[in-house]
Amino acid sequence: MPAQPGGRTTPWRRSHSATTLGPPWWVLDLLGLDDEEVLERYGRWYLPGRDPDALRRNALVILGNTGHAGRDPRNGGHPVDSEVEAALVRYLGGESELLAGHAAWAALALGRDDLVRPHRHRSAVAAELASFQPSEQQPSQQPPGIDQTGAS
């Protein structure tokens, strides 16, 4: 791992090639941290309002784009390992509507609507389910809160 000034390492620069299956190692690590730990490890990054959920939101989008481990017809072609599933379930049932919506988008992107449906009573989750295209087996093309230009 490359070192920063002061001898600290930069985990986000650890190699993760396009051929690597699954999410970068630090995404699941970050999603398992409490607020204090997120700020301690990643607080030097710009976090709007010093809110760790801004970083978690981005991590959930990464998880939705990289969380599959290969192809398996039982899960619509996208198996999800137990760590990815646990992270999605945690945020689908968590306090934050923002993160629940992003977790729903990620789960749908991974073909795991079975994880989302028990949380359909939540407004952010319901919005993602409503935009889900079952005939195409694809969630909305953009994570929640992102318009067509990519702006929040």
Side-chain angles (χ1 to χ4, degrees):
M1 235 182 310
Q4 290 178 288
R8 293 178 57 178
T9 59
T10 54
W12 56 90
R13 290 186 184 162
R14 186 181 278 180
S15 176
H16 185 80
S17 73
T19 60
T20 302
L21 295 176
W25 67 271
W26 58 268
V27 170
L28 289 169
D29 182 58
L30 183 147
L31 289 170
L33 300 176
D34 64 31
D35 287 354
E36 186 176 305
E37 292 171 312
V38 170
L39 291 174
E40 183 180 310
R41 290 190 194 182
Y42 303 100
R44 64 190 170 281
W45 293 358
Y46 173 72
L47 298 175
R50 303 281 301 151
D51 182 3
D53 283 352
L55 193 53
R56 290 184 183 111
R57 175 197 63 209
N58 295 345
L60 286 164
V61 171
I62 293 168
L63 197 61
N65 286 316
T66 64
H68 55 84
R71 299 195 78 63
D72 182 336
R74 293 173 296 171
N75 288 337
H78 303 285
V80 174
D81 73 24
S82 61
E83 287 184 280
V84 171
E85 183 175 326
L88 293 171
V89 168
R90 175 182 180 185
Y91 287 99
L92 282 163
E95 293 179 21
S96 169
E97 280 295 313
L98 172 76
L99 297 180
H102 280 74
W105 179 87
L108 292 169
L110 295 170
R112 293 301 307 269
D113 62 312
D114 62 308
L115 300 178
V116 177
R117 296 209 184 279
H119 303 279
R120 65 184 172 272
H121 63 281
R122 300 187 71 166
S123 59
V125 173
E128 282 306 307
L129 280 167
S131 66
F132 182 59
Q133 309 297 319
S135 61
E136 299 172 16
Q137 293 295 305
Q138 294 290 325
S140 62
Q141 296 299 311
Q142 296 291 327
I146 305 294
D147 66 21
Q148 294 301 317
T149 64
S152 299

